Amino acid sequence: MEIIKSFINYISRPTVLFTVVLATFFFVFPPNNWFMKVNRKLRIYKIWSNKGGIVIFSVLLAFFLFGGLTDHNFQLIIFKPDNVPIIGLIFGVTFFLWLGMKQALENDERIANNEPVDEYYDPEDKVLVWPDLIYVEFIALILCSVFLTIWGIVLKAPLEEPANLADSPNPSKAPWYFLGLQEMLVYYDPWLAGVVFPTLIIVGLMAIPYIDLNPKGSGYYSYAERKAEISIFMFGWLGMWVILIIIGTFLRGPNWNFFGPFQYWDSHLLPALTNVNLSEYVWVKWLEQGLPKNIIKREIFGFLLIGGYFAFLPPILTLTIFKKYFEKLGTARYSVFLVLVLSLAALPAKMYLRWLFNLKYLVAIPEYFFNI
Amino acid sequence: MKDSKEGKESLFQKVSSTQIWRSIFRTGGIPTTRRQRMMGVLNNVFLHLHPVRLPKHAVKVKYTWCMGGLSFFVFLILTITGILLMFYYRPTVEHAYMDMIDLGEQVPLGIMREIHRWGAHLMVITVWLHMFRVFLTGSYKPPREFNWAVGVILLTLTLLLSFTGYLLPWDQLAIWAITVGANMGRASPFLGYEGPGAALMQIGDVKLVHPGADASFILKAGRFVGEATLLRFYVLHCIGLPFIIMIFMAVHFWRVRKDGGISGPT
Ligand code: HEM
């Protein structure tokens, strides 16, 4: 028992979790033909079949039952009233992911066999809204009302001590749907994690229909016809956003330290402050001098690195894996696409720099609150 | 009605042939013929948000997951329970917290707060899943690009509604969650006093952005989360944001129809 628990604690660490996700993600959601082939060969697509669905669901359920029944620390986090919806979210997202992918793969097969997709009906053969849609809606409304009423009766809304500005709880957490942003604060300063990235997320989401010029796959589930689009979207949404929320909610305790699902939230544990800025690495550790007084000179390496990320990576990507997109999208769309993709990748990039080198900031100009 | 015996009118038929009934429901009794059913949808202000006829796939739950409709329905539940809560809740530091306790203990049917709170969580989830469905069916592709963008605005507004409501119980959970969120505003580039570029926002010697005038201050109506913040969030939560989201919902629904109804193959 304890061995299982410490194993789960271990693999829930952001370092391990993200590495596992990164290493497997593109095989599960293949962005191109090569990954698709591997996916086929290893039969990973089987998880979207009925059997696969049952397996995923059972594993999830077993995990929550196991933890919920046997572990006190686990109970404390999952039964916190405001955390309950996130468990619903985990099951909901898993179920609908499965439902969507299942239909997509079924349609892929039909398309490959030159059959019409499942959604296709003779355009002349329509049904009347009254009663065919109205009764579906009616049932949905009743089920939803019943569900909410029962939820309301069973689970009391939380009310803690009266507000007291002098006594800040540890940890202080934002509402759960913003915990992805709060979790980003570990790696990026608030001006990026709290302002620039959210803006980019909103703008980036809005930009999707204007960047994605693929005319196929409109109005029916499919995967094979739009591999890259789905893969990138899933990476941002599932691979980063949902996972960050889960980490932020369930696995961050006092002092924003990481705690595995079965670990006690020890508030005496202080975060190890061993993070070092790039400028200190270069000037102090390697060149063995003091930090230069001139800010630009001091931070020049960080600027070069970030400049390089946004200046050298684009041409390399354009000439290699993104060549097709550049030709299809044209300069304007492609540039927006690149900026968004590079920004998305900047998050895991910084995470790994932190984990591997204890890197704090690439560019650190606290004088002007400009830290990256 | 089919099963009413020949010559004998059922009660419903009698009621539905009265002048009062016919003045309210323009199409009369239970529609049985095709024509009546079509008129029933067209002649009702609520139902006529729908088209009259739909392709078969569009009414299947496995296609839409019902998530857009449920998002709207949960929004309606939130509006109704929210109005009920407003009867009892006073947005002042003095009363807010006690009113919360009373809502659970003194008010008949004391689960309105629960339904409202869990409904808010649920709406965030259904809106996400709706977005996810729209993405997976590629329904944002032309001619629906703009409606996707409207949807993203709706998602943002949903989150803001939830966020502003989070403060109102005025307990530890509330103020500290809002403090964490609102303090990020301090770091806004140019607009927050701890943000990069804030030092540039200066005319001569006059600082435009400082702790008493920046993005975070505007959000909180003060340097800390306090009475003024509570009032500001209350007004936004109960009037400002619902007003805006309803406008965008109207546009969203109207565009679903104008863009050719629910998406589908070919
Ligand atoms: C308050 C939030 C929202 C409400 C109440 C809402 C409601 C609806 C409803 C009732 C439909 C009809 C079809 C269906 O039920 O799936 C619909 C369609 C649509 N929604 Fe939303 N929506 C919301 C948010 C969003 C978001 C966040 C997005 C995307 C980012 C979005 C994009 C769309 C698009 C593109 C369609 C057309 C889909 C099609 O034709 O298949 N909506 N919405």
Side-chain angles (χ1 to χ4, degrees):
Chain A
M1 202 85 124
E2 289 311 310
I3 301 178
I4 307 180
K5 284 186 189 170
S6 33
F7 175 71
I8 295 179
N9 282 339
Y10 178 75
I11 57 168
S12 342
R13 289 179 188 199
T15 33
V16 183
L17 192 63
F18 270 103
T19 310
V20 173
V21 169
L22 273 183
T24 53
F25 191 86
F26 293 108
F27 295 102
V28 181
F29 299 101
N32 62 21
N33 286 331
W34 185 82
F35 282 100
M36 195 67 150
K37 256 184 229 150
V38 182
N39 174 299
R40 295 266 132 194
K41 201 169 261 163
L42 298 179
R43 298 174 165 267
I44 298 175
Y45 63 92
K46 290 270 185 204
I47 50 178
W48 312 123
S49 64
N50 284 342
K51 268 191 210 144
I54 294 173
V55 172
I56 307 178
F57 202 73
S58 315
V59 170
L60 259 187
L61 202 64
F63 172 69
F64 278 102
L65 281 180
F66 167 73
L69 291 177
T70 66
D71 195 274
H72 183 63
N73 295 315
F74 192 73
Q75 286 162 0
L76 283 182
I77 10 178
I78 61 167
F79 291 130
K80 220 172 151 224
D82 270 349
N83 286 356
V84 171
I86 311 174
I87 298 172
L89 176 80
I90 294 176
F91 278 95
V93 166
T94 314
F95 174 73
F96 284 106
L97 176 67
W98 172 81
L99 183 67
M101 288 300 288
K102 176 181 147 78
Q103 297 185 68
L105 294 200
E106 284 170 1
N107 271 343
D108 285 349
E109 216 161 285
R110 293 196 182 94
I111 295 167
N113 296 336
N114 266 326
E115 292 165 23
V117 292
D118 184 45
E119 285 85 354
Y120 183 81
Y121 285 100
D122 180 1
E124 296 307 307
D125 183 23
K126 287 192 171 176
V127 292
L128 288 178
V129 161
W130 182 297
D132 289 78
L133 180 60
I134 302 292
Y135 95 88
V136 175
E137 289 180 345
F138 188 61
I139 293 173
L141 301 195
I142 291 180
L143 290 181
C144 180
S145 315
V146 170
F147 176 71
L148 258 181
T149 312
I150 294 178
W151 190 1
I153 293 173
V154 173
L155 193 68
K156 277 258 146 286
L159 191 66
E160 298 192 347
E161 304 285 293
N164 179 359
L165 269 177
D167 171 23
S168 79
N170 184 8
S172 300
K173 289 192 180 185
W176 63 267
Y177 35 82
F178 287 148
L179 280 186
L181 303 179
Q182 205 179 346
E183 178 63 18
M184 277 199 251
L185 283 176
V186 175
Y187 309 99
Y188 282 104
D189 261 22
W191 73 276
L192 284 167
V195 186
V196 174
F197 284 151
T199 313
L200 278 177
I201 294 174
I202 294 173
V203 174
L205 280 174
M206 286 194 190
I208 290 177
Y210 302 95
I211 296 175
D212 174 9
L213 293 186
N214 180 358
K216 287 189 194 149
S218 171
Y220 53 93
Y221 290 93
S222 75
Y223 192 93
E225 290 187 329
R226 36 202 293 262
K227 295 186 278 286
E229 301 146 63
I230 298 189
S231 184
I232 297 174
F233 181 85
M234 293 287 196
F235 183 73
W237 194 62
L238 278 183
M240 310 284 347
W241 188 241
V242 173
I243 292 191
L244 285 180
I245 286 180
I246 292 174
I247 293 182
T249 316
F250 293 135
L251 307 176
R252 289 291 182 183
N255 306 322
W256 212 253
N257 274 321
F258 171 84
F259 295 92
F262 306 114
Q263 260 171 327
Y264 169 67
W265 280 18
D266 182 355
S267 56
H268 300 293
L269 210 67
L270 289 174
L273 290 174
T274 50
N275 296 334
V276 181
N277 292 332
L278 181 67
S279 51
E280 289 159 348
Y281 260 119
V282 179
W283 293 107
V284 181
K285 289 205 171 159
W286 294 339
L287 301 178
E288 299 185 331
Q289 343 176 332
L291 285 177
K293 284 261 158 354
N294 183 316
I295 294 177
I296 301 290
K297 189 173 167 200
R298 186 184 75 200
E299 301 301 333
I300 188 75
F301 299 102
F303 280 121
L304 284 178
L305 215 68
I306 294 168
Y309 184 72
F310 282 100
F312 293 118
L313 225 44
I316 298 175
L317 291 171
T318 308
L319 290 176
T320 55
I321 53 173
F322 286 164
K323 195 164 174 198
K324 226 174 49 193
Y325 299 118
F326 179 63
E327 286 158 6
K328 265 196 235 155
L329 296 183
T331 321
R333 285 194 176 86
Y334 179 74
S335 314
V336 177
F337 166 72
L338 255 191
V339 170
L340 291 173
V341 168
L342 287 178
S343 312
L344 178 63
L347 184 58
K350 181 82 188 273
M351 286 175 165
Y352 278 95
L353 288 176
R354 173 68 54 82
W355 296 331
L356 295 174
F357 308 112
N358 284 322
L359 182 86
K360 191 164 184 212
Y361 294 123
L362 287 164
V363 170
I365 312 180
E367 296 88 336
Y368 295 99
F369 306 110
F370 188 80
N371 302 316
I372 298 175
Chain B
M1 274 179 141
K2 269 187 237 147
D3 51 1
S4 65
K5 298 198 180 71
E6 291 289 320
K8 230 182 162 190
E9 282 188 356
S10 73
L11 182 63
F12 181 78
Q13 274 173 332
K14 267 187 205 151
V15 172
S16 64
S17 57
T18 59
Q19 185 184 0
I20 297 179
W21 180 280
R22 299 202 67 93
S23 70
I24 301 175
F25 299 100
R26 301 186 59 218
T27 319
I30 286 194
T32 44
T33 65
R34 191 175 166 83
R35 193 188 129 75
Q36 277 173 339
R37 287 175 166 177
M38 292 166 83
M39 293 314 281
V41 172
L42 280 177
N43 279 338
N44 180 306
V45 66
F46 303 106
L47 294 183
H48 102 288
L49 271 179
H50 300 101
V52 168
R53 298 180 317 139
L54 278 172
K56 272 187 183 159
H57 78 273
V59 301
K60 294 208 162 151
V61 176
K62 70 175 184 184
Y63 184 68
T64 63
W65 308 346
C66 257
M67 280 304 160
L70 281 183
S71 304
F72 182 52
F73 179 62
V74 176
F75 176 76
L76 292 181
I77 293 185
L78 288 169
T79 311
I80 295 167
T81 51
I83 291 173
L84 292 176
L85 291 174
M86 283 173 80
F87 285 138
Y88 295 96
Y89 173 83
R90 287 162 290 180
T92 61
V93 168
E94 192 190 346
H95 295 298
Y97 183 76
M98 285 317 284
D99 287 349
M100 280 291 134
I101 296 181
D102 288 351
L103 271 171
E105 293 180 354
Q106 311 293 340
V107 178
L109 238 71
I111 59 164
M112 285 308 132
R113 190 181 155 223
E114 273 71 20
I115 296 193
H116 195 74
R117 191 179 187 100
W118 304 139
H121 287 307
L122 186 65
M123 184 169 164
V124 173
I125 297 177
T126 53
V127 172
W128 273 2
L129 289 175
H130 171 57
M131 177 177 86
F132 186 37
R133 185 294 280 181
V134 172
F135 183 84
L136 277 186
T137 54
S139 304
Y140 57 82
K141 300 191 178 200
R144 297 183 179 79
E145 310 101 302
F146 181 68
N147 215 17
W148 168 272
V150 173
V152 176
I153 294 173
L154 284 173
L155 170 69
T156 315
L157 288 170
T158 307
L159 294 177
L160 287 178
L161 267 166
S162 226
F163 183 68
T164 47
Y166 216 80
L167 181 65
L168 304 185
W170 204 247
D171 63 346
Q172 282 288 69
L173 199 61
I175 57 159
W176 288 101
I178 302 308
T179 304
V180 169
N183 280 351
M184 297 214 192
R186 287 204 288 231
S188 312
F190 302 109
L191 300 178
Y193 78 94
E194 287 182 348
L200 299 175
M201 308 294 278
Q202 203 165 0
I203 302 180
D205 276 346
V206 186
K207 278 199 165 153
L208 297 180
V209 173
H210 54 82
D214 76 336
S216 178
F217 189 93
I218 293 175
L219 206 60
K220 291 184 289 197
R223 291 175 198 220
F224 304 102
V225 175
E227 175 111 12
T229 325
L230 184 56
L231 182 61
R232 183 158 294 196
F233 274 45
Y234 177 75
V235 173
L236 282 176
H237 184 74
C238 301
I239 297 169
L241 292 169
F243 177 69
I244 300 174
I245 204 171
M246 281 198 284
I247 294 176
F248 277 97
M249 279 190 190
V251 176
H252 195 60
F253 299 157
W254 184 76
R255 281 301 295 247
V256 172
R257 290 290 305 280
K258 290 290 156 185
D259 291 339
I262 194 88
S263 57
T266 67

